[in-house]
Amino acid sequence: MIHLKEISIKQLICLVIFTQVGAKVLTIPYEESRNSGYDSWMSVLLGGVIAQLVILIVYLLGKRYEDRPFPQYVTEITGKPLGLLLNVLFALYFIESSLMVLVTYANFINRWVLFKTPWFVIIALMAATAAYIASSSLRSIAVITETCILMFTICFVIVCISGLGKGDWLHFAPVGSHGLGPIIKDAIPAFWAYAGYERLLYFSPFVKRHSNKEILIGMSIANGFTTFFYVLISAIVLYNFSEPQLDLVTEPMVFILRQFKWPMVQNLDILFMVIWLSMTLVTICVYLFMSARFLASTLGRKLGNHALLVWILAFVCFAIGVWFSDRQTLLEFADYHNKASTLIIAGVPTILLLVSLARGKAGIR
């Protein structure tokens, strides 16, 4: 049995930040610079603003049913058949997100660090570690997330130091030279990078607070910090690379870390990726936790054993992930996942909020 004990606002902030950053930190702003080039930092910033608007929508929806998580009140908005279907869709989305982060970072590790280690071994170790953490309580996961703050701080310092290499500040001038259209167009892939705030749909009733506004403030702080971090990484990459290079380098941060020479550390990129692995595992375990909770709500108490569901879902991730060793297959899966993210974490909450408002006062349990 899983005990959903309350977590603090600080723990909520840590959970959201670590889920948002994930493996994307190594690729930004490659996808976000396809049209906007050196103005991609503005696309990344705009993506954070869009994410903040969706956070407000998710917050307003949860506020109307503040004593219950999403799986329990969605049937009240849509009716039982459609509500159960939405719970299953969210469960599938979260397990898909777990798989996405798992295979993406395993691909980085396999190509940059563990060259000769079999793909299935990397996948198995990451999935098993994440499942072990996710099979515990929400509070336990939150505490583990807090302990990773030191790891994140080390990585943050490494990123800042690595950006001090040779570059050109003229890359940023003139600002907005590519036009507003390309900046807005590249804000869409930037928005996908901020996925992680949707867990508020489930976590909201379990957050200790004096008022609901504290949750919104905490979520805004988390998203604001992630936005700052992504914009900082974008600025560092744009400072170091020319636009033709941006079109070719899919993981610019790795190259910057590899080129930077630090007397105390021989391979800064490897150190960064090994430390960042702890953040990635947190992201995977939170998604596994969410998927298991949504499935448990759908199956009922008798069939909803949390730990068992987590390990089953982790095995599913491993079994499917074994087939994603090919990079082209991974890129195709990422494209599909990004489109699904827009529908699930932005479209569905918006529609449900509108339906709930149209029906008037929120129901009472």
Side-chain angles (χ1 to χ4, degrees):
M1 180 179 178
I2 186 69
H3 300 285
L4 293 170
K5 298 179 181 178
E6 289 185 330
I7 61 175
S8 65
I9 293 293
K10 179 184 175 182
Q11 290 171 331
L12 175 66
I13 292 173
C14 291
L15 280 168
V16 174
I17 289 176
F18 284 178
T19 310
Q20 282 186 315
V21 290
K24 195 69 176 178
V25 65
L26 296 175
T27 61
I28 277 185
Y30 172 72
E31 292 181 356
E32 295 75 16
S33 63
R34 300 302 84 207
N35 301 285
S36 56
Y38 283 139
D39 292 326
S40 57
W41 67 270
M42 289 190 283
S43 297
V44 174
L45 179 61
L46 181 57
V49 173
I50 298 173
Q52 182 61 37
L53 294 176
V54 180
I55 286 174
L56 180 60
I57 292 172
V58 172
Y59 164 75
L60 292 175
L61 177 62
K63 183 181 177 182
R64 295 176 62 81
Y65 307 89
E66 59 184 80
D67 61 333
R68 286 166 285 173
F70 180 86
Q72 294 181 18
Y73 67 71
V74 66
T75 54
E76 189 173 310
I77 300 175
T78 64
K80 191 170 183 180
L82 184 56
L84 291 176
L85 176 61
L86 285 175
N87 279 335
V88 173
L89 287 177
F90 268 88
L92 292 175
Y93 169 74
F94 288 128
I95 191 61
E96 179 191 321
S97 298
S98 299
L99 176 62
M100 184 73 246
V101 178
L102 175 66
V103 296
T104 299
Y105 206 77
N107 182 265
F108 292 148
I109 294 293
N110 188 235
R111 287 188 296 110
W112 292 96
V113 184
L114 303 177
F115 316 101
K116 297 182 179 181
T117 305
W119 171 260
F120 76 90
V121 173
I122 299 174
I123 291 288
L125 290 175
M126 291 180 64
T129 304
Y132 178 77
I133 300 172
S135 60
S136 57
S137 69
L138 176 59
R139 179 180 291 180
S140 298
I141 295 174
V143 170
I144 292 173
T145 304
E146 279 188 299
T147 61
C148 290
I149 287 292
L150 176 60
M151 297 291 190
F152 183 85
T153 303
I154 293 173
C155 289
F156 186 87
V157 172
I158 291 176
V159 167
C160 292
I161 292 176
S162 67
L164 300 177
K166 294 181 180 180
D168 192 348
W169 290 110
L170 293 178
H171 290 170
F172 296 93
V175 176
S177 60
H178 291 77
L180 183 60
I183 293 174
I184 295 176
K185 190 173 182 180
D186 282 341
I188 302 303
F191 167 70
W192 295 331
Y194 291 94
Y197 51 79
E198 68 277 3
R199 62 241 330 85
L200 183 63
L201 289 168
Y202 195 90
F203 290 170
S204 182
F206 309 110
V207 179
K208 290 186 291 185
R209 74 274 193 181
H210 297 293
S211 65
N212 286 322
K213 289 184 179 179
E214 291 184 19
I215 293 180
L216 179 59
I217 293 172
M219 293 292 294
S220 300
I221 291 174
N223 187 66
F225 182 83
T226 303
T227 303
F228 167 75
F229 187 56
Y230 278 158
V231 171
L232 174 65
I233 292 176
S234 299
I236 290 173
V237 171
L238 297 173
Y239 172 70
N240 283 274
F241 289 100
S242 65
E243 282 198 355
Q245 289 174 324
L246 285 174
D247 291 333
L248 301 173
V249 182
T250 57
E251 292 138 12
M253 201 64 226
V254 178
F255 282 92
I256 292 174
L257 292 168
R258 173 154 290 191
Q259 292 171 4
F260 188 81
K261 303 301 180 183
W262 198 1
M264 295 178 291
V265 182
Q266 194 171 27
N267 297 101
L268 196 59
D269 57 321
I270 294 178
L271 175 64
F272 179 89
M273 282 189 280
V274 170
I275 297 176
W276 197 260
L277 179 61
S278 61
M279 263 71 76
T280 305
L281 290 175
V282 168
T283 304
I284 298 170
C285 88
V286 172
Y287 278 128
L288 283 175
F289 179 91
M290 293 285 289
S291 182
R293 295 317 304 155
F294 272 77
L295 277 182
S297 298
T298 305
L299 297 174
R301 293 184 178 180
K302 292 183 179 180
L303 299 176
N305 183 285
H306 177 75
L308 178 61
L309 285 175
V310 166
W311 281 103
I312 291 174
L313 293 172
F315 179 78
V316 170
C317 282
F318 165 73
I320 300 176
V322 169
W323 300 97
F324 282 90
S325 57
D326 177 62
R327 184 163 172 77
Q328 185 58 39
T329 304
L330 178 59
L331 292 175
E332 293 174 359
F333 177 56
D335 182 62
Y336 165 78
H337 175 72
N338 289 334
K339 294 175 182 177
S341 296
T342 303
L343 174 64
I344 296 296
I345 69 178
V348 172
T350 302
I351 294 173
L352 290 178
L353 177 61
L354 293 175
V355 172
S356 178
L357 291 172
R359 290 189 171 185
K361 187 176 180 181
I364 300 174
R365 181 170 54 180

